[in-house]
């Protein structure tokens, strides 16, 4: 999977996730889908509604967010491409909990936020037999390249 | 015939179709019909014979968990939707 993300939207992502720290934050990715290539044109941060005392290592998108953003993307001729979330003080590598809750053909951007600052952003895709994730190619476009 | 809306990441298994007309008198039968037509969907919706816990099925705005689960009856003009809970966690 190849995903391009404008630096301006990367900034929206990591600003939201740094603000969520020490808890996990997250949101949805919307854009254009072309075979194995995805171009993100919008990001939609959402509220984490996992039990509050567990939010330091758990994220759950607010009720209705998936439907709302999917309907929006469909109405605009765009695609709901995936979602992003943070791993506070942990690597930007999918956990078993991530794997169990994942779907194939979705872009999973995981951001490691350490001591409140973005340390690493990586892209993952669940393989179709659900056994593991494989890392994708995430290209962050500079302002000049956008 | 009822219809069921497919979540975007699983539309790769339905040749890109977002909404499928399916027959069935209850939700369980609807999902059997759907996965019969598109077998590759099954492993992402079910773990053995149980609906995966992050897979939510709605009839209109009602989550079937608050009705009769897979036994929930379906009318011919009902619109169902598969909505995955979007969840993750560092460890």
């Amino acid at each position: 999977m190849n995903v391009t993300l404008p630096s301006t939207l990367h900034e929206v992502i990591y600003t939201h996730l740094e603000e969520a720290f020490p808890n996990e934050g997250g949101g949805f990715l919307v854009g254009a889908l072309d075979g194995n290539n995805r171009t993100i044109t919008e990001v939609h941060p959402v509220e984490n509604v996992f039990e509050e005392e567990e939010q330091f290592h758990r994220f759950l998108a607010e009720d209705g967010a998936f439907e709302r953003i999917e309907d929006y993307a469909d109405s605009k001729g765009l695609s709901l491409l995936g979602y992003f979330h943070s791993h506070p003080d942990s690597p930007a590598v999918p956990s078993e909990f991530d794997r169990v809750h994942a779907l194939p053909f979705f872009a999973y951007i995981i951001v490691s936020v350490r001591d409140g600052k973005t340390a690493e952003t990586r892209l993952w895709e669940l393989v179709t037999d659900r056994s593991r994730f494989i890392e994708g190619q995430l290209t962050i476009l500079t302002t000049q390249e956008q | 015939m009822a219809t069921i809306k497919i979540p975007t990441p699983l539309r790769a298994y339905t040749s890109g179709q977002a909404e499928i007309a399916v027959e069935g008198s209850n939700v369980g039968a609807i999902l059997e019909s759907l996965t019969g037509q598109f077998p590759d969907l099954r492993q992402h919706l079910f773990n053995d014979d149980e609906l995966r816990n992050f897979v939510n099925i709605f009839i209109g705005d009602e989550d079937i968990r608050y009705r009769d689960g897979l036994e929930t009856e379906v009318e011919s003009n009902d619109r169902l939707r598969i909505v995955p809970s979007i969840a993750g966690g560092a460890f």
Side-chain angles (χ1 to χ4, degrees):
Chain A
M1 179 183 291
N2 303 301
V3 172
T4 56
L5 173 68
S7 60
T8 49
L9 295 184
H10 186 217
E11 184 171 350
V12 172
I13 288 173
Y14 68 69
T15 299
H16 175 74
L17 299 180
E18 288 174 2
E19 287 174 354
F21 186 90
N23 289 333
E24 296 202 1
F28 290 90
L29 309 168
V30 170
L33 177 63
D34 178 17
N36 206 30
N37 301 313
R38 287 152 174 78
T39 304
I40 297 170
T41 57
E42 301 180 24
V43 299
H44 296 261
V46 296
E47 185 182 355
N48 183 354
V49 298
F50 209 97
E51 298 166 40
E52 200 166 337
E53 60 271 25
E54 299 295 327
Q55 287 185 10
F56 69 96
H57 74 129
R58 287 285 183 266
F59 174 83
L60 175 64
E62 62 194 76
D63 289 352
F66 184 93
E67 303 95 296
R68 171 171 51 83
I69 295 167
E70 183 175 71
D71 288 344
Y72 164 78
D74 287 347
S75 74
K76 297 292 185 184
L78 300 172
S79 289
L80 176 53
L81 299 178
Y83 98 103
F84 66 90
H85 75 288
S86 56
H87 283 185
D89 292 332
S90 289
V93 174
S95 65
E96 176 64 5
F97 189 87
D98 286 331
R99 186 192 68 79
V100 166
H101 293 87
L103 287 173
F105 307 112
F106 228 28
Y108 290 90
I109 290 180
I110 300 177
V111 180
S112 172
V113 180
R114 294 190 180 272
D115 294 326
K117 290 296 178 188
T118 296
E120 190 177 38
T121 302
R122 295 172 73 174
L123 168 69
W124 302 91
E125 176 185 13
L126 181 73
V127 299
T128 54
D129 69 3
R130 305 191 59 80
S131 61
R132 61 191 174 92
F133 283 88
I134 55 175
E135 189 158 12
Q137 179 65 47
L138 177 64
T139 302
I140 297 174
L141 301 176
T142 64
T143 307
Q144 290 82 1
E145 292 169 324
Q146 294 174 37
Chain B
M1 199 181 293
T3 60
I4 187 162
K5 186 160 187 176
I6 309 299
T8 303
L10 296 184
R11 294 174 189 172
Y13 293 122
T14 62
S15 303
Q17 297 175 82
E19 205 152 0
I20 308 290
V22 280
E23 288 203 17
S25 59
N26 61 31
V27 174
I30 291 278
L31 294 178
E32 285 301 315
S33 174
L34 178 68
T35 55
Q37 286 186 62
F38 306 104
D40 289 334
L41 275 178
R42 184 166 185 88
Q43 65 170 322
H44 302 294
L45 301 179
F46 290 92
N47 188 8
D48 294 326
D49 292 329
E50 298 286 323
L51 206 56
R52 290 187 183 274
N53 64 4
F54 72 91
V55 176
N56 307 289
I57 309 294
F58 286 79
I59 301 178
D61 293 330
E62 286 191 279
D63 187 331
I64 65 168
R65 280 190 182 84
Y66 303 108
R67 294 180 61 180
D68 296 317
L70 295 178
E71 301 298 318
T72 305
E73 290 185 357
V74 175
E75 305 296 328
S76 61
N77 61 346
D78 277 340
R79 299 187 74 181
L80 288 75
R81 185 170 192 163
I82 301 169
V83 179
S85 292
I86 299 300
F91 55 89

